[in-house]
Amino acid sequence: MIGKADVVEFEPDGTPYPVEYKHGTRRKAGFIAACDELQLAAQALCLEEMTGRHVAEGALFYASSKRRRIVAITPALRAGVEQAVAGVRTLLAEGRLPPPVNGERCRACSLVDLCQPQALAAHDAQIELRRHLFDPED
Ligand code: SF4
């Protein structure tokens, strides 16, 4: 994994403490909050590898509420990161991209301008309409 962290603070003993900045407030839908935690945990694992120090926790900072939410980097989160990495490796090996979700999480996604999930959804709808356009049974 590679990436650029928003902020990395350092404890007095040199232990890194990742802080990930997010849009919105701390009151996010559970499945979106879980993605934020997974990203933070991935940063923690990278920082552990870089520094050789155990990273036990980090924080998500929400821009709208200007509040931090402390996140423990648990074994379950670490396993989730490993699972996500394995999933991405499989996609890369197979040379395919997952389809866009075009859902609630897209609204706050930093990739939405590049990904354009609504355009693809509209394209799929057009293909479906075209399939039935000249079908007299429809
Ligand atoms: S905008 Fe694209 S990359 Fe972002 S969440 Fe939606 S489908 Fe995924």
Side-chain angles (χ1 to χ4, degrees):
M1 289 185 291
I2 58 167
K4 290 181 184 172
D6 289 332
V7 172
V8 179
E9 299 171 350
F10 287 88
E11 308 281 4
D13 68 354
T15 301
Y17 191 99
V19 182
E20 175 66 16
Y21 280 52
K22 289 294 175 196
H23 292 293
T25 70
R26 289 188 295 178
R27 300 183 210 299
K28 288 186 169 184
F31 72 95
I32 296 178
C35 294
D36 294 347
E37 291 181 6
L38 201 65
Q39 184 184 5
L40 186 69
Q43 292 174 11
L45 295 189
C46 288
L47 288 165
E48 284 183 347
E49 191 170 304
M50 287 171 68
T51 64
R53 289 181 176 274
H54 179 69
V55 178
E57 70 175 40
L60 295 165
F61 178 81
Y62 291 99
S64 298
S65 55
K66 296 193 170 28
R67 293 288 174 91
R68 278 186 178 195
R69 183 161 68 82
I70 307 299
V71 177
I73 311 301
T74 62
L77 265 182
R78 292 168 185 271
V81 171
E82 285 178 19
Q83 201 177 341
V85 167
V88 170
R89 281 199 178 127
T90 301
L91 291 172
L92 289 171
E94 294 174 356
R96 64 182 171 93
L97 285 172
V101 292
N102 192 27
E104 191 184 341
R105 85 175 80 150
C106 299
R107 278 189 289 132
C109 178
S110 58
L111 297 175
V112 71
D113 288 338
L114 291 170
C115 178
Q116 299 192 2
Q118 289 161 326
L120 192 59
H123 180 252
D124 289 347
Q126 280 181 353
I127 289 174
E128 188 61 20
L129 284 173
R130 221 177 286 151
R131 273 194 326 138
H132 300 285
L133 187 60
F134 299 109
D135 187 345
E137 302 299 322
D138 272 357

Coordinates of all heavy atoms in Angstrom, one line a residue, residues 3 43-53:
G3 N 0.3 5.8 0.0 CA -0.7 6.8 0.1 C -0.1 8.1 0.8 O 1.1 8.1 1.2
Q43 N -3.7 3.4 7.0 CA -2.6 4.4 7.3 C -1.8 3.9 8.5 O -0.5 4.0 8.5 CB -3.2 5.8 7.5 CG -3.8 6.4 6.3 CD -4.5 7.7 6.6 OE1 -4.4 8.2 7.7 NE2 -5.3 8.2 5.7
A44 N -2.5 3.4 9.5 CA -1.8 2.9 10.7 C -0.8 1.8 10.3 O 0.3 1.8 10.8 CB -2.8 2.5 11.7
L45 N -1.3 0.9 9.5 CA -0.4 -0.3 9.1 C 0.8 0.2 8.3 O 1.9 -0.2 8.5 CB -1.2 -1.3 8.3 CG -2.3 -2.0 9.0 CD1 -2.8 -3.1 8.1 CD2 -1.9 -2.6 10.3
C46 N 0.6 1.2 7.4 CA 1.7 1.8 6.7 C 2.7 2.5 7.6 O 4.0 2.3 7.5 CB 1.3 2.8 5.6 SG 0.4 2.0 4.2
L47 N 2.2 3.2 8.6 CA 3.1 3.9 9.5 C 3.8 3.0 10.4 O 5.0 3.2 10.8 CB 2.2 4.9 10.4 CG 1.7 6.1 9.6 CD1 0.6 6.9 10.4 CD2 2.9 7.1 9.3
E48 N 3.2 1.8 10.8 CA 3.9 0.8 11.6 C 5.1 0.3 10.8 O 6.2 0.1 11.3 CB 2.9 -0.3 11.9 CG 2.0 0.1 13.0 CD 1.1 -1.1 13.4 OE1 1.0 -2.1 12.7 OE2 0.4 -0.9 14.5
E49 N 4.8 0.0 9.5 CA 5.9 -0.6 8.7 C 7.0 0.4 8.5 O 8.2 0.1 8.5 CB 5.3 -1.0 7.3 CG 6.3 -1.8 6.5 CD 5.6 -2.4 5.3 OE1 4.6 -3.1 5.4 OE2 6.2 -2.2 4.2
M50 N 6.6 1.7 8.3 CA 7.7 2.8 8.1 C 8.5 3.0 9.4 O 9.7 3.3 9.3 CB 7.0 4.1 7.7 CG 6.4 4.1 6.3 SD 5.4 5.6 6.1 CE 6.7 6.9 6.2
T51 N 7.9 3.0 10.6 CA 8.5 3.4 11.8 C 9.0 2.3 12.7 O 9.7 2.5 13.6 CB 7.6 4.4 12.6 OG1 6.5 3.7 13.0 CG2 7.2 5.6 11.8
G52 N 8.3 1.1 12.5 CA 8.6 0.0 13.4 C 7.9 0.1 14.7 O 8.2 -0.6 15.7
R53 N 7.0 1.1 14.9 CA 6.3 1.3 16.1 C 4.8 0.8 16.0 O 4.2 1.0 14.9 CB 6.3 2.7 16.5 CG 7.7 3.2 17.0 CD 7.7 4.6 17.4 NE 9.0 5.0 17.9 CZ 9.3 4.9 19.2 NH1 8.5 4.3 20.1 NH2 10.5 5.2 19.6

